[in-house]
C-alpha cells in the first residue's frame, strides 16, 4: 500500500471472513485531485465490490464494447479490458477486495454465468438495498467498514470450497508458473473437474486465471524491479521478451513499456 495513497484500508475483524475478504477500502476525494481520463484496470486475481456514493461511475468493457453507469457493483475476474471514469466532481467509494472464490460464498449461482459487471442489487435484492440505506446513516469510516463486515457475515453460505482454495493457494505459491495438468495432478483431480470448479466458483478457466496471476507478477516487477524486460520475461516463464510483449498487450491493450509508465496512476483496483 502506497503511504501517499488517498485510500483508507482495514482488514476484516471476523476470523473466518478474513480468509475470504482481504480488505475493505474507502476513498473520499474530488475529481480535480485525480485524472478526468478513463482509468484502465489491470486484470487482477481478486474480486472487487464497490459502492459509489452520489454520482455514479461509468464502467466500460472495451473487449465487448459495452458501458454501464453504476452506483454499486461487483467486478468479475477476467482478462477483458475495462476502464472506469467518474461522472461527477466527487469520488467517494466504499468497497472490499475478496479472494478469487469470495463471491461463491454469497451465491450458489455459477459465477461464469453472471454478467461481466454484476449488478449487486439485482443479484442480492433486499440485502443490497438495505445495506445501501444503512451505510448512508454512518458517521465514520469505521462504521462504514463495520456495515460491510456485518452484511458479509450475515449472508455467508456454507459451501465445500476445499478444492478451489487449494488450487488458488498452489497457483499463488507458484506465481502462476504452473501448468494446468500439473495443478490437477497435485490436487488429485482431473483437468475437467478443476475447470468446472473454476468456472462455477471463480468465473473463468484455470488457464485464464493463471494468465492473470502471471500478469499481476509482471506488473509488480515492472513497477518495482530494475531488471530488463528480457529478465522479467524469463523469470515468469515466458519464452522470450516478444512472448511477454504479446501476452501483456493481448490482456491489457498496452505493451510492457507502456504499462510500466502508467502503473503509478492506477487506483481503483490496484493499490
Amino acid at each position: 500500500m502506497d503511504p501517499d495513497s488517498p485510500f483508507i484500508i482495514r482488514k476484516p475483524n471476523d476470523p473466518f471472513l478474513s480468509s475470504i475478504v482481504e480488505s475493505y477500502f474507502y476513498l473520499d476525494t474530488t475529481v480535480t485531485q485525480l485524472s478526468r481520463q478513463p482509468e484502465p484496470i489491470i486484470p487482477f486475481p481478486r474480486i472487487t465490490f464497490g459502492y459509489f456514493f452520489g454520482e455514479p461511475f461509468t464502467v466500460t468493457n472495451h473487449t465487448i464494447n459495452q458501458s454501464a453507469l453504476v452506483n454499486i457493483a461487483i467486478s468479475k475476474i477476467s482478462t477483458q479490458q475495462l476502464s472506469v471514469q467518474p461522472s461527477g466532481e466527487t469520488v467517494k467509494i466504499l468497497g472490499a477486495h475478496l479472494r478469487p472464490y469470495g463471491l461463491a460464498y454469497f451465491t450458489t449461482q455459477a459465477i461464469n454465468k453472471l454478467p461481466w459487471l454484476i449488478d449487486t442489487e439485482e443479484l442480492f435484492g433486499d440485502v443490497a438495498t438495505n445495506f445501501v440505506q444503512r451505510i448512508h446513516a454512518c458517521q465514520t469510516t469505521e462504521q462504514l467498514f463495520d456495515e460491510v463486515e456485518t452484511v458479509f457475515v450475515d449472508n455467508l453460505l456454507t459451501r465445500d470450497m476445499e478444492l478451489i482454495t487449494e488450487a488458488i493457494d498452489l497457483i499463488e505459491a507458484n506465481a502462476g508458473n504452473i501448468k494446468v495438468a500439473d495443478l490437477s495432478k497435485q490436487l488429485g483431480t482431473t483437468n475437467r473437474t478443476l475447470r468446472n470448479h473454476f468456472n462455477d466458483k471463480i468465473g473463468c478457466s484455470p488457464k485464464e486465471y493463471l494468465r492473470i496471476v502471471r500478469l499481476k507478477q509482471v506488473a509488480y516487477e515492472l513497477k518495482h524491479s530494475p531488471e530488463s524486460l528480457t529478465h522479467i520475461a524469463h523469470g515468469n516463464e515466458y519464452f522470450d521478451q516478444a512472448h511477454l510483449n504479446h501476452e501483456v498487450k493481448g490482456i491489457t491493450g498496452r505493451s510492457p513499456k507502456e504499462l510500466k509508465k502508467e502503473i503509478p496512476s492506477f487506483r481503483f483496483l490496484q493499490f
Side-chain angles (χ1 to χ4, degrees):
M1 175 70 184
D2 184 343
D4 297 323
S5 171
F7 284 91
I8 299 172
I9 305 291
R10 196 186 87 182
K11 298 290 186 181
N13 293 322
D14 182 87
F16 181 71
L17 195 63
S18 64
S19 68
I20 302 168
V21 178
E22 293 196 336
S23 64
Y24 310 123
F25 63 86
Y26 178 72
L27 170 69
D28 188 358
T29 186
T30 62
V31 169
T32 55
Q33 294 178 280
L34 304 172
S35 170
R36 285 186 177 273
Q37 298 300 312
E39 180 178 330
I41 297 172
I42 303 177
F44 199 64
R46 293 293 181 271
I47 292 170
T48 298
F49 156 77
Y51 175 74
F52 304 97
F53 291 84
E55 303 284 355
F57 268 53
T58 298
V59 184
T60 301
N61 186 322
H62 302 279
T63 302
I64 59 175
N65 196 30
Q66 289 185 4
S67 292
L69 201 62
V70 299
N71 281 103
I72 182 169
I74 298 171
S75 69
K76 285 176 62 176
I77 293 174
S78 171
T79 54
Q80 294 181 331
Q81 295 175 20
L82 309 179
S83 67
V84 296
Q85 186 174 22
S87 61
E89 296 301 316
T90 60
V91 179
K92 188 175 180 182
I93 309 168
L94 172 67
H97 288 308
L98 287 74
R99 296 277 286 167
Y101 43 78
L103 184 56
Y105 272 104
F106 300 98
T107 178
T108 56
Q109 292 190 45
I111 307 303
N112 67 326
K113 301 298 184 183
L114 297 174
W116 67 272
L117 186 66
I118 300 167
D119 185 321
T120 309
E121 291 178 294
E122 183 177 313
L123 182 62
F124 296 112
D126 290 343
V127 171
T129 303
N130 294 336
F131 166 75
V132 170
Q133 292 174 350
R134 293 202 307 273
I135 62 174
H136 278 274
C138 293
Q139 301 297 314
T140 67
T141 305
E142 285 301 306
Q143 289 176 348
L144 289 171
F145 290 155
D146 287 343
E147 285 294 349
V148 178
E149 178 139 334
T150 296
V151 76
F152 282 161
V153 170
D154 288 350
N155 291 280
L156 277 170
L157 302 177
T158 300
R159 302 197 66 184
D160 180 4
M161 305 287 280
E162 184 177 1
L163 179 63
I164 203 70
T165 55
E166 288 183 3
I168 295 302
D169 288 345
L170 271 172
I171 289 171
E172 296 192 350
N174 287 275
N177 295 315
I178 184 171
K179 292 181 173 59
V180 174
D182 293 336
L183 185 63
S184 300
K185 184 177 180 180
Q186 290 190 45
L187 293 168
T189 189
T190 65
N191 289 357
R192 182 176 182 178
T193 297
L194 186 64
R195 183 173 62 252
N196 289 342
H197 275 261
F198 265 79
N199 285 330
D200 181 52
K201 298 181 174 69
I202 293 182
C204 65
S205 69
K207 185 176 180 180
E208 186 175 12
Y209 186 77
L210 285 166
R211 292 178 71 200
I212 295 171
V213 172
R214 290 170 74 191
L215 176 64
K216 176 191 174 187
Q217 181 63 27
V218 167
Y220 179 86
E221 292 182 27
L222 288 173
K223 182 173 183 178
H224 298 287
S225 173
E227 299 291 352
S228 68
L229 289 179
T230 298
H231 186 277
I232 292 174
H234 290 159
N236 288 280
E237 298 193 9
Y238 294 97
F239 299 126
D240 50 27
Q241 185 179 328
H243 183 207
L244 172 67
N245 290 344
H246 182 269
E247 182 72 0
V248 171
K249 192 161 188 176
I251 298 177
T252 69
R254 291 158 176 75
S255 69
K257 289 183 179 179
E258 291 170 332
L259 198 61
K260 182 179 179 69
K261 292 178 182 178
E262 295 184 20
I263 283 174
S265 70
F266 292 152
R267 293 178 302 273
F268 294 113
L269 294 188
Q270 292 78 41
F271 52 80

